[in-house]
Amino acid sequence: MPVYLCIVLLPLTLSVLSGWPARSFWDELASAAGMVAFAILLAEFLLSGRFRLISGGVGMDVTMRFHQLLARSALVFVVVHPFLYTTPFAWSLPFDPTRELTLAQPGYALAAGALAWILLPAFVLISIARAELFKRYENWRLGHGLGAAVIAGATWYHATEAGRYASAPILYWTWTGLLVIALASLGSVYVFRPLYQLRRPWRVASIKRAAERTWQVDLTPDGHDGLAYRAGQFVWLNIGHSAFSLSENPFSIASAPSQKGMLSFVIKELGDFTSTLGEIPEGARAYVDGPFGHLTLDKHPAPGIALIAGGVGIAPMLSILRELGHNGDRRPVTLVYGNRSAAQIVAGDELTEWAARPGNELVHVLSEPMDGWTGKTGMVDRALIAGCFGKDEHRAWVYVLCGPPAMMSGVEKTLIELGVAPENILSERFSYD
Ligand SMILES: Cc1cc2nc3c(=O)[nH]c(=O)nc-3n(C[C@H](O)[C@H](O)[C@H](O)COP(=O)(O)OP(=O)(O)OC[C@H]3O[C@@H](n4cnc5c(N)ncnc54)[C@H](O)[C@@H]3O)c2cc1C
């Protein structure tokens, strides 16, 4: 956070230190709003740049939520920016009979600013309505990346040509440097990372049904020694496309790091890629970008571990409990595993075997149980959580959550109310919306 604030406030600070004579309060405020907005926009590229340094501590879902909220904050600054100026006018604009908007600026610089000013609100609105507007996620990704680059380029031109303070070399080069860093982080996702992946390809070893509408996908490294990751992390997986393709999706790794080499995933059918998993032939080429994510126990030496999974949220839990088993970790572990029906339970036999070992407890919960079901029924809610964990466990254990957004929000709230410290709750959402 302090680093983020430094980046966003750097151009403004340099302007204040530049020693230019102050203009009217409103003119200075207008410039400040424009500068902060542009700096936030450039920092957005870093937030979505898959940098472990940035998302490693809080998780990719929180990072992307931050990205969305900051885009909306920048939008407010951008919208008010031209209306705050009181500077006398050099020439009027055709759409501005009041001459309120017209500034003493070069025409192209003003046009670039106007372009960015129009594009940004459209861009944010399109992002909010993404699911309704775009049938294919990849098309939205492409438009989002290109659109962001165009807005950043237009704003850079506007800021450096029309901005009063950017006429000082230090600010000109600061904006230029920040733009280059922003575009380089875009390039890192779409060019540099794929180039690296080309040298470390994978092959599909097998794809088999793991449960109703759910597949287990196993990959083996092709000519390298695999991926170094921690149990609970995820990767962007691309199967059957060029390394530079936009067709890649985030999936948690379900295998354990100790299962050297091989990577295993548990994937639920949802959209265009996941619904075609059954058609992918063995031996298909795959690329893996990662690992990412903070759903890992390394920094949590708690005396006990609670794993709470809903549906396909079991994937990172499998990785964690497989790794705990391999390491001979003797801490008590309770896995609460919610599903709609028994047909959706993944790795049922393995989990039963795991639960038979001392210290392990497995709580299956079904919301639509079949006749004869003897396990828990209903939702993974407050009553269920309160019944599974006692006061000592609330105080000292670490809680790892992964599942549908509604379940996660409910369980997080419940755990806090039951006295679990927020730093002892690790969660990863499977959607950024
Ligand atoms: C950190 C993380 C871990 C995940 N782990 C698993 C897992 O272990 N098992 C599992 O079944 N699902 C997991 N998911 C969800 C999985 O990524 C989506 O279900 C999958 O991408 C859907 O792809 P599709 O092409 O079939 O559907 P689409 O219709 O293309 O996409 C459906 C939704 O998936 C999300 N999505 C698709 N592509 C991307 C992308 N490139 N980047 C970000 N989000 C995308 C979007 O929200 C989109 O609306 C995880 C998601 C995240 C964010």
Side-chain angles (χ1 to χ4, degrees):
M1 193 52 149
V3 177
Y4 179 83
L5 283 177
C6 284
I7 293 175
V8 165
L9 295 177
L10 177 67
L12 187 61
T13 312
L14 291 174
S15 312
V16 171
L17 297 177
S18 68
W20 282 69
R23 295 166 297 172
S24 78
F25 169 77
W26 292 106
D27 284 345
E28 295 301 342
L29 191 65
S31 291
M35 282 189 267
V36 169
F38 188 28
I40 292 178
L41 286 181
L42 293 176
E44 289 288 82
F45 287 81
L46 292 176
L47 291 179
S48 52
R50 297 190 192 170
F51 296 113
R52 268 167 234 143
L53 201 63
I54 295 173
S55 63
V58 290
M60 194 64 89
D61 51 350
V62 174
T63 308
M64 294 316 285
R65 187 81 195 118
F66 195 52
H67 172 86
Q68 292 164 353
L69 290 176
L70 285 164
R72 290 165 207 184
S73 319
L75 179 59
V76 174
F77 289 119
V78 167
V79 169
V80 298
H81 166 68
F83 293 105
L84 295 172
Y85 278 110
T86 59
T87 311
F89 317 123
W91 44 276
S92 63
L93 291 168
F95 55 81
D96 179 28
T98 62
R99 297 168 67 88
E100 289 277 311
L101 278 178
T102 309
L103 301 176
Q105 291 186 349
Y108 286 126
L110 195 62
L115 178 72
W117 191 82
I118 291 165
L119 284 183
L120 187 71
F123 192 70
V124 172
L125 288 176
I126 288 171
S127 303
I128 292 170
R130 189 234 344 136
E132 287 74 39
L133 295 177
F134 289 87
K135 222 167 150 266
R136 279 182 57 81
Y137 187 86
E138 290 73 20
N139 294 344
W140 175 77
R141 262 187 90 188
L142 180 66
H144 197 68
L146 289 177
V150 168
I151 292 174
T155 314
W156 172 83
Y157 185 69
H158 172 73
T160 54
E161 289 294 316
R164 180 197 199 216
Y165 294 103
S167 57
I170 176 102
L171 203 62
Y172 175 88
W173 287 111
T174 302
W175 283 131
T176 306
L178 288 175
L179 179 73
V180 169
I181 293 171
L183 296 180
S185 28
L186 195 64
S188 83
V189 175
Y190 296 107
V191 183
F192 305 138
R193 285 180 170 279
L195 278 174
Y196 177 74
Q197 289 161 37
L198 271 180
R199 294 171 44 221
R200 298 178 68 82
W202 295 73
R203 295 264 169 213
V204 172
S206 72
I207 298 189
K208 45 186 189 259
R209 275 235 178 260
E212 185 185 276
R213 297 187 57 227
T214 306
W215 298 86
Q216 177 177 327
V217 177
D218 293 338
L219 303 183
T220 48
D222 186 1
H224 56 95
D225 56 358
L227 181 79
Y229 65 97
R230 289 172 285 148
Q233 289 195 292
F234 74 93
V235 295
W236 260 272
L237 177 62
N238 161 350
I239 301 185
H241 301 281
S242 143
F244 297 93
S245 165
L246 294 176
S247 298
E248 48 164 10
N249 303 69
F251 295 109
S252 298
I253 304 170
S255 48
S258 50
Q259 295 171 280
K260 293 257 182 271
M262 167 240 194
L263 284 182
S264 188
F265 302 89
V266 173
I267 300 181
K268 179 151 191 191
E269 291 175 13
L270 184 77
D272 31 326
F273 167 64
T274 49
S275 302
T276 57
L277 278 170
E279 296 156 26
I280 295 173
E282 272 181 26
R285 175 64 58 103
Y287 297 100
V288 164
D289 184 18
F292 301 98
H294 73 142
L295 210 65
T296 60
L297 292 176
D298 347 10
K299 292 183 191 143
H300 293 273
I305 299 155
L307 306 175
I308 303 174
V312 79
I314 192 67
M317 310 302 178
L318 285 174
S319 177
I320 291 171
L321 55 86
R322 284 168 176 163
E323 186 66 2
L324 288 171
H326 175 268
N327 293 342
D329 196 308
R330 305 222 164 218
R331 288 179 287 174
V333 183
T334 297
L335 169 65
V336 178
Y337 183 18
N339 277 293
R340 194 168 41 75
S341 69
Q344 293 182 323
I345 295 174
V346 171
D349 292 343
E350 180 185 344
L351 290 177
T352 307
E353 207 181 295
W354 168 84
R357 284 180 229 138
N360 296 342
E361 193 184 342
L362 173 63
V363 182
H364 277 297
V365 190
L366 295 186
S367 59
E368 293 173 20
M370 72 287 204
D371 291 343
W373 172 254
T374 52
K376 304 259 185 214
T377 57
M379 310 302 280
V380 180
D381 56 14
R382 186 190 169 99
L384 187 115
I385 296 292
C388 290
F389 305 101
K391 272 208 173 84
D392 287 347
E393 286 142 17
H394 296 147
R395 195 177 38 78
W397 280 27
V398 59
Y399 289 75
V400 187
L401 324 181
C402 191
M407 182 206 102
M408 302 223 352
S409 304
V411 173
E412 273 165 4
K413 189 166 169 274
T414 297
L415 291 174
I416 304 268
E417 284 168 4
L418 290 173
V420 178
E423 61 271 21
N424 285 343
I425 303 174
L426 303 176
S427 65
E428 184 96 75
R429 279 170 171 71
F430 278 2
S431 161
Y432 302 146
D433 304 321

